[in-house]
Amino acid sequence: MTQEAEEHDIFDSDEPFRLFGDWLAEAEKTEPNDPNAMALATVDETGLPDVRMVLLKGVDATGFVFYTNLESAKGVELAATPKAALCFHWKSLRRQVRVRGPVVAVTAEEADAYYDSRARQSRIGAWASKQSRPLESRFHLEKEVARYAAKYGIGKVPRPPHWSGFRVVPQSIEFWRDRPFRLHDRLVFSRAHDEAPWQTVRLFP
């Protein structure tokens, strides 16, 4: 892609989800592992930030979707304070995308559809793991996996009631691109709520 084409892609776009889709598609061609990996930031009950890497499992005009154990640290934190920030960093492309906004639960139908698409062992693991809570030993985890594998040895593995997904509904999406001498390009899309039109502004690097 030429520099002129990149400039057009970034600064003449009025729809951030389309631009994000283009960047993600490029990352899928260049990133060696998990181009859909993103840092997810939440806050605990004291307001202390918490961050970890998760995988993006869906994106459209309604937001960015990921799945988790609802009883995990992030699940508990999001239930108490349903707001989050995301950061995608594609080192091979020297680009990043930052997202901020409120968080809503996905529908049961969405969660069921994604859960059913997972490998069987991953579905068993969702039952076996008490995510984020103390584990006495690796052997104990393996026993739990074996227990649920036996319980659901035949037929469908149902989705656990404590396992579902969240959608980050962006109020701002910032596209960042590396440029020489740290004079980077930054373009921010923002809106007051999810039905408001997007506004754009360029930022100093």
Side-chain angles (χ1 to χ4, degrees):
M1 180 180 293
T2 66
Q3 180 174 325
E4 181 180 353
E6 281 208 350
E7 290 285 354
H8 177 78
D9 285 347
I10 296 174
F11 300 116
D12 291 341
S13 178
D14 60 0
E15 212 300 301
F17 290 109
R18 183 171 61 250
L19 178 55
F20 178 84
D22 291 342
W23 278 27
L24 180 61
E26 289 188 57
E28 289 170 345
K29 299 174 184 176
T30 61
E31 289 295 296
N33 292 297
D34 298 328
N36 60 327
M38 58 187 185
L40 165 67
T42 56
V43 295
D44 68 13
E45 69 278 4
T46 70
L48 186 66
D50 208 355
V51 66
R52 76 288 285 163
M53 300 302 296
V54 300
L55 297 178
L56 176 72
K57 291 300 181 180
V59 59
D60 58 25
T62 64
F64 298 79
V65 174
F66 63 94
Y67 292 89
T68 188
N69 185 316
L70 301 178
E71 298 172 351
S72 67
K74 57 184 170 297
V76 171
E77 289 166 1
L78 287 170
T81 307
K83 300 177 182 179
L86 308 172
C87 183
F88 298 84
H89 177 226
W90 297 305
K91 189 173 183 179
S92 64
L93 295 175
R94 297 181 177 271
R95 296 176 181 176
Q96 68 176 351
V97 177
R98 299 170 61 208
V99 178
R100 300 175 71 213
V103 175
V104 297
V106 303
T107 65
E109 290 76 16
E110 288 176 289
D112 287 342
Y114 174 66
Y115 184 79
D116 290 343
S117 76
R118 304 177 87 206
R120 186 178 183 84
Q121 283 300 103
S122 294
R123 283 176 274 159
I124 293 293
W127 283 97
S129 175
K130 297 178 175 63
Q131 195 176 77
S132 301
R133 282 153 288 180
L135 172 64
E136 62 186 62
S137 68
R138 180 75 188 184
F139 179 64
H140 180 74
L141 174 60
E142 291 170 350
K143 285 201 306 182
E144 287 297 286
V145 170
R147 181 164 74 91
Y148 282 103
K151 180 176 181 178
Y152 298 114
I154 299 176
K156 181 178 179 179
V157 180
R159 178 171 63 89
H162 57 261
W163 191 98
S164 191
F166 293 100
R167 174 175 283 103
V168 180
V169 183
Q171 290 184 340
S172 70
I173 306 176
E174 177 183 331
F175 294 84
W176 178 100
R177 186 180 68 196
D178 179 87
R179 298 301 293 271
F181 310 111
R182 300 190 181 276
L183 300 177
H184 310 309
D185 288 326
R186 296 175 66 184
L187 180 67
V188 178
F189 292 82
S190 61
R191 60 186 179 181
H193 54 81
D194 60 358
E195 295 183 1
W198 290 103
Q199 306 294 320
T200 59
V201 62
R202 287 185 66 162
L203 301 180
F204 277 100

